[in-house]
RNA sequence: GAGUCCGUAGCUCAGUGGUAGAGCAUUCGACUUUUAAUCGAAUGGUCGUGGGUUCGAUCCCCACCGGACUCACCA
């Protein structure tokens, strides 16, 4: 028999023995007076003498993370998932039944402990057990206590094991929750209304990406999982909700990487009477503020980098960034006009080793040059602004430069964290943009934006001057928790199923 | 989709063309304040799966499965 099976059998036999004692092996509930975290918080810094004087008794509970047995004196380390503390188990301090129960406990079991707080000779904050209650069995051996669980595949597939034995993993998800709360509070404090818009959409719009397809049986209708909530949120601004936001999942049927999970969380918001410059100021305020609120500082470590999230962030125009990087790489001066000329910029791209799609215009090629040469070097927070209109089908053009849209992306740590623009609200122009996208789609571009007549109709009712933005929550959490992979900040990242 | 690397005990890891090792965990024994408790003993393996080469494969070769990273893709 394998070690694993042997240990399972041993644990099962211990459970059977408990049942023979006549106790309920899966009790329905437990009257806990204090969590371990609350005990540590309230009494964990008391001295030995203070604890003796106060004589605090309590009933608490948690999962056993270690058993140290010395015959008649024994120690359990019990965790409530947040904090842990030790219980002192003495045969002569317990009813006989409870000591029998104790002896049938395994590493990983859930127990309730009744007793009084004290400090041991080695000054460890401890509960001196007067009762031990069995709450639930762990039938399977857990990863060892010292190295924890390092195998990433198991950590992702069986996240509960990761959470049981790796406190750092727990910490990441606690921080994630606080980051999301912080963002939500930030938005609500500014008068934004939180809403939920469809995840299942007849047309997957609002971004340039390939969608997942599904089907509704009763309506006999194909639907797409949304790639963005954008067009629905703007419909709400048309409806008079001048400040609106949504924190929810988007789904994109594309590659998986350390920065991409097929489903990911976006905070997207729209504000009437705003523009992309105002959103830059709001964004740096939000990110610096949330970091300070959650981490106590706007200075972070990300991998090998020290990053300052202190506002203001650097502002860099996309064409300027591409022009400068290409000039440096090629050793000669590239002009802004070169980037706006389809043939000249295509030649530059080829010289830089990029493949140029025949369907790509000057704007798309320039954007590709930027992404190739600049993106992963933007470690300190940088707003890259003024994108080519060609790659921004939902953005408003600059009044004096129709080839350029009032759009920015925020880069931190070498990847994109947010994307924002002044919203295109002219229905006629929006229709022309969609038609341009349809041409791309016809020539094989599977990510080209679909025509959305219903959205154009909404614009015809009048969208006020508006700016909007999407913030990648997972990536922001990566930065603020120093996590190198998006899978480290998503509880259950998508994995291939195992047979 | 391409490339590189990885898969050995429940966990963390060594290792070799001649049927496999450690620590922790587990079991038994000792121990009434331990802190990765300690000490003594024992148990535990289809070396990812399937082929091939070989007298002999966990090791070499091929395919497959799963994973990590890089590239491609992807605002």
């Amino acid at each position: 028999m394998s070690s694993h099976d042997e240990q399972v059998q041993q644990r099962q036999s211990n459970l059977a023995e408990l049942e023979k004692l006549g106790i309920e092996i899966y009790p329905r509930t437990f009257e806990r007076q204090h969590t371990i975290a609350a005990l540590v918080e309230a009494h964990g810094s008391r001295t030995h003498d203070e604890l003796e004087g106060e004589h605090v008794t309590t009933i608490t509970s948690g999962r056993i993370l270690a058993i140290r047995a010395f015959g008649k004196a024994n120690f359990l380390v019990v965790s409530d998932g947040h904090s842990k503390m030790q219980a002192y188990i003495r045969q002569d301090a317990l009813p006989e039944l409870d000591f029998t129960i104790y002896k049938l406990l395994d590493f990983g079991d859930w127990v309730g402990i009744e007793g009084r707080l004290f400090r041991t000779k080695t000054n460890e904050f401890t509960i001196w057990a007067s009762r031990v209650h069995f709450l639930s069995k762990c039938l399977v051996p857990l990863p060892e206590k010292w190295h924890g669980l390092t195998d990433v595949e198991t950590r992702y597939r069986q996240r509960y094991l990761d959470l049981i034995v790796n406190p750092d993993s727990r910490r990441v998800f606690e921080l994630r929750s606080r980051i999301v709360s912080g963002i939500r509070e930030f938005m609500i404090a500014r008068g934004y209304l939180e809403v939920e818009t469809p995840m299942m959409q007849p047309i997957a719009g609002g971004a340039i990406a390939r969608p997942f397809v599904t089907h509704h049986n009763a309506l006999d209708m194909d639907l797409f999982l949304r790639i963005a909530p954008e067009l629905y949120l703007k419909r709400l601004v048309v409806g008079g909700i001048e400040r609106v936001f949504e924190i929810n999942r988007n789904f994109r049927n594309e590659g998986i990487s350390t920065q991409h999970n097929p489903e990911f969380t976006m905070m997207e918001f729209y504000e009437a009477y705003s523009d992309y410059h105002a959103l830059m100021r709001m964004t740096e305020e939000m990110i610096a503020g949330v970091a300070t609120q959650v981490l106590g500082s706007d200075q972070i470590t990300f991998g090998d980098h020290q990053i300052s999230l202190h506002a203001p962030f650097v502002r860099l125009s996309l064409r300027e960034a591409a022009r400068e990087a290409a000039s440096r790489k090629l050793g000669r001066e590239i002009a802004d006009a070169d980037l706006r000329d389809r043939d000249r910029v295509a030649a530059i791209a080829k010289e830089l080793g990029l493949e140029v799609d025949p369907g790509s215009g000057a704007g798309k090629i320039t954007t590709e040059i930027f992404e190739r040469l600049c993106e992963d070097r933007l470690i300190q927070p940088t707003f890259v602004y003024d994108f080519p209109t060609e790659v921004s089908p939902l953005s408003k053009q600059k009044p004096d430069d129709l080839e350029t849209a009032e759009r920015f992306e925020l880069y931190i740590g070498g990847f994109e964290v947010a994307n924002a623009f002044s919203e295109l609200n002219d229905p006629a122009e929006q229709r022309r943009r969609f038609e341009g996208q349809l041409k791309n789609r016809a020539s094989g571009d599977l990510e080209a934006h679909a025509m959305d007549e219903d959205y154009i109709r909404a614009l015809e009712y009048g969208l006020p001057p508006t700016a909007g933005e999407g913030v990648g929550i997972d990536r922001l959490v990566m930065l603020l928790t120093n996590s190198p992979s998006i899978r480290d900040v998503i509880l259950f990242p998508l994995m291939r199923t195992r047979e």
Side-chain angles (χ1 to χ4, degrees), chain A residues 271-395:
Chain A
E271 176 172 340
Y273 314 112
S274 186
D275 68 7
Y276 75 142
H277 289 297
L279 291 194
M280 288 187 216
R281 293 190 290 273
M282 177 176 164
T283 303
E284 60 199 5
E285 188 187 341
M286 177 174 73
I287 289 178
V290 168
T292 303
Q293 183 183 337
V294 171
L295 304 175
S297 169
D298 56 14
Q299 307 298 306
I300 61 169
T301 300
F302 186 66
D304 298 332
H305 303 294
Q306 298 300 316
I307 296 177
S308 170
L309 299 177
H310 197 74
F313 298 167
V314 173
R315 283 145 168 85
L316 179 66
S317 103
L318 184 141
R319 282 201 184 80
E320 179 59 26
R323 198 186 61 70
E324 202 207 321
S327 300
R328 198 175 336 111
K329 188 109 185 218
L330 297 178
R332 65 167 198 275
E333 199 59 24
I334 306 293
D336 187 78
D338 296 326
L339 297 179
R340 291 171 184 263
D341 181 279
R342 203 299 172 171
D343 292 339
R344 274 187 274 164
V345 75
I348 291 166
K350 278 181 191 153
E351 218 177 320
L352 290 165
L354 275 70
E355 278 186 37
V356 175
D357 188 278
S360 295
K364 188 159 187 195
I365 296 168
T366 301
T367 306
E368 281 165 6
I369 290 173
F370 161 77
E371 285 171 355
R372 170 63 70 88
L373 297 186
C374 307
E375 182 167 338
D376 58 4
R377 299 161 79 151
L378 297 173
I379 304 301
Q380 298 301 319
T382 305
F383 290 115
V384 175
Y385 66 95
D386 284 358
F387 275 60
T389 304
E390 183 187 346
V391 296
S392 313
L394 300 163
S395 310

Side-chain angles (χ1 to χ4, degrees), chain A residues 391-416:
Chain A
V391 296
S392 313
L394 300 163
S395 310
K396 183 171 259 184
Q397 290 146 304
K398 289 174 76 90
D400 55 350
D401 177 5
L402 299 185
E403 286 176 3
T404 303
E406 295 193 350
R407 169 178 169 192
F408 72 79
E409 289 184 349
L410 171 61
Y411 287 84
I412 310 176
F415 52 80
E416 180 196 342

